[in-house]
Amino acid sequence: MRVRTILIAVFAMIFATELYAADKVRIGVSNYNISNLTVGVAQTRGFFKQEGIDAEIIRMNPNVATMALVSADVDYSTLIGSAIIANLKGARVKMIACSLDRTPLSLVSRADIKTVKEVKGKTIGVGSYGSTPDIIARMVVKHHGIDPETEIKLLALGSDAARLTALKEGVIDVMIVAPPVDFEAKRMGFNIISRAGDIFRFLYNGLAIGMKKLSERPDEVKRVLRAMLKANNYILKNRDGTIQVLVNWAKSKPEFAEAAYDSAVSSFSADGSIPEEGMRVVLDGFRKSMNLGRQVPLSEVADMAPLFEAQRELGLRK
C-alpha cells in the first residue's frame, strides 16, 4: 500500500510538470536588443523552461503590441510606455515588473551637432509617438533648456535601425536609440550628445499584462516573473554569457554586443521592483503629453503583488 501511494504521488508530480510545460505564452517586444534582453536571456538560457513556461517572443510595433495585449492576442508586453498610456485611456492592462530601472537610451546627432543645445529647431527621430523613447527625448531636451513642444520636431520612424537609416540619409538631425545602435552610429562618425541615464533614473522597460490574465492565471504570471528575475540575475553576474545572447539572439556583432552590455548593464534591476519616484516621473511625462489634469495613483497603472510573491520565493524579499 505504501509503495502504491508513493507511485501515485510520483505520477502526480510528473503530470503536474507536464501541465506546467504546456503553458505557452506570447510576449510582445519592440526589438530583439539590449532593451528586451531580460526576456531574451530568460528564453535562451532556459529560465522560462525551468519555470514551466514555453515563451514565444514576438517583435511588434509598440502600438500593435499594446493593441494585441488589450485584445489578449499576446499575454505579456515589455513595451510598458505604450501599455501605461493604454491604461490611462481606460484599457484593462497593468505593469507588473521593471526590468531596467535606468534608461540606456542616447541622443545621437549628425557630425556637425556637438551638444544638446544645438538641437533647438532640429528634427529628432523616435520610435513612435507617446512611447517611452519619445517621452525621454522630450525630457532630455527640456533638461537642456529647449521647449520640446515648440522648439524641436519629433518624427516617428519605428525601429532603431530605421532611425539610423534616416539619420544617414539626412531625414532627421538627431535620433534617440538604445545600444548597440549608438555605438554603431559613433563608429560611423555621428555624435553621442547625451546619455539619458546619466541625467534621469526611472523605469525604462519591464512587463505589462492584461488584468484578465492577471486574475485568471496568477500562478503562470508568478512563474514568468520568476524566470525574468533569474534572467536579470544572470545578466548582472555573467558578462560573457550575456554578450553571447546578444550575439546569437539579438544578431549583434560581437564588438557591438560588448559595447551594449558594458554601457547598459547597470540599468538592469536586481529584483524587478518598480521605483516609485521613477514611476512618478514617467507618469507625469505621460500626463502632460496626454493633457490629463488629474493625478494618477501608482496603483492605477501597476500591480506589484505577483512580483512580491516571486521575490519572496527567490529569497529577494522577506
Side-chain angles (χ1 to χ4, degrees):
M1 186 66 179
R2 178 178 174 80
V3 173
R4 182 181 178 185
T5 301
I6 293 173
L7 287 174
I8 290 173
V10 170
F11 283 127
M13 290 174 63
I14 293 172
F15 181 67
T17 300
E18 289 176 348
L19 283 179
Y20 279 154
D23 280 348
K24 295 185 178 181
V25 304
R26 306 179 82 198
I27 303 174
V29 302
S30 58
N31 284 293
Y32 303 132
N33 63 3
I34 193 80
S35 300
N36 296 290
L37 184 58
T38 299
V39 292
V41 168
Q43 183 186 56
T44 60
R45 293 307 186 210
F47 298 123
F48 280 135
K49 186 176 181 180
Q50 284 180 13
E51 296 294 338
I53 299 295
D54 180 7
E56 180 184 3
I57 301 174
I58 307 170
R59 182 175 181 173
M60 311 175 82
N61 176 279
N63 294 333
V64 173
T66 303
M67 287 189 291
L69 183 66
V70 172
S71 64
D73 289 320
V74 297
D75 303 286
Y76 304 86
S77 171
T78 65
L79 292 97
I80 58 171
S82 299
I84 291 172
I85 289 175
N87 173 288
L88 295 175
K89 291 180 177 178
R92 290 180 54 78
V93 297
K94 283 195 174 185
M95 185 181 170
I96 57 172
C98 170
S99 53
L100 288 91
D101 56 18
R102 182 190 291 269
T103 175
L105 292 176
S106 297
L107 282 185
V108 181
S109 70
R110 296 180 336 222
D112 60 311
I113 297 174
K114 308 296 185 183
T115 68
V116 178
K117 291 186 180 295
E118 297 174 60
V119 173
K120 184 176 180 180
K122 303 297 193 296
T123 299
I124 301 177
V126 300
S128 62
Y129 299 122
S131 64
T132 304
D134 177 18
I135 297 298
I136 291 171
R138 295 171 187 269
M139 291 172 63
V140 171
V141 298
K142 185 176 181 179
H143 177 79
H144 288 273
I146 299 172
D147 186 340
E149 306 303 324
T150 62
E151 295 182 324
I152 59 167
K153 179 181 178 181
L154 291 158
L155 187 61
L157 295 167
S159 69
D160 285 3
R163 277 168 262 171
L164 179 57
T165 298
L167 185 63
K168 288 190 292 185
E169 294 179 353
V171 175
I172 57 177
D173 306 294
V174 184
M175 63 179 178
I176 185 164
V177 290
V181 177
D182 56 348
F183 178 75
E184 181 179 1
K186 187 175 181 180
R187 290 269 296 264
M188 296 167 64
F190 298 113
N191 296 323
I192 298 175
I193 55 175
S194 179
R195 293 193 182 277
D198 294 339
I199 305 171
F200 311 108
R201 188 175 187 89
F202 56 84
L203 73 160
Y204 172 66
N205 210 342
L207 199 65
I209 188 174
M211 292 168 65
K212 187 173 185 289
K213 164 76 77 169
L214 189 59
S215 63
E216 293 181 354
R217 300 299 303 275
D219 185 68
E220 175 199 292
V221 173
K222 184 174 62 175
R223 286 185 284 120
V224 168
L225 288 170
R226 282 170 55 96
M228 292 184 66
L229 291 173
K230 290 177 181 179
N232 267 21
N233 181 68
Y234 181 94
I235 291 168
L236 291 167
K237 295 181 178 179
N238 192 322
R239 180 181 185 273
D240 291 345
T242 303
I243 288 171
Q244 198 59 48
V245 173
L246 284 168
V247 171
N248 296 333
W249 180 75
K251 308 302 181 187
S252 180
K253 295 179 181 178
E255 64 269 32
F256 291 169
E258 291 180 13
Y261 178 88
D262 290 338
S263 67
V265 64
S266 63
S267 302
F268 287 87
S269 171
D271 65 1
S273 293
I274 301 172
E276 184 172 337
E277 182 178 351
M279 186 69 168
R280 178 55 58 198
V281 171
V282 172
L283 283 177
D284 286 345
F286 286 142
R287 281 198 313 109
K288 291 174 183 176
S289 68
M290 297 171 66
N291 294 316
L292 290 179
R294 66 183 180 88
Q295 291 294 321
V296 180
L298 300 186
S299 59
E300 183 177 323
V301 297
D303 186 338
M304 300 292 290
L307 177 65
F308 291 161
E309 288 187 33
Q311 288 173 340
R312 278 191 288 268
E313 292 177 359
L314 293 176
L316 300 174
R317 173 180 287 267
K318 293 182 179 180

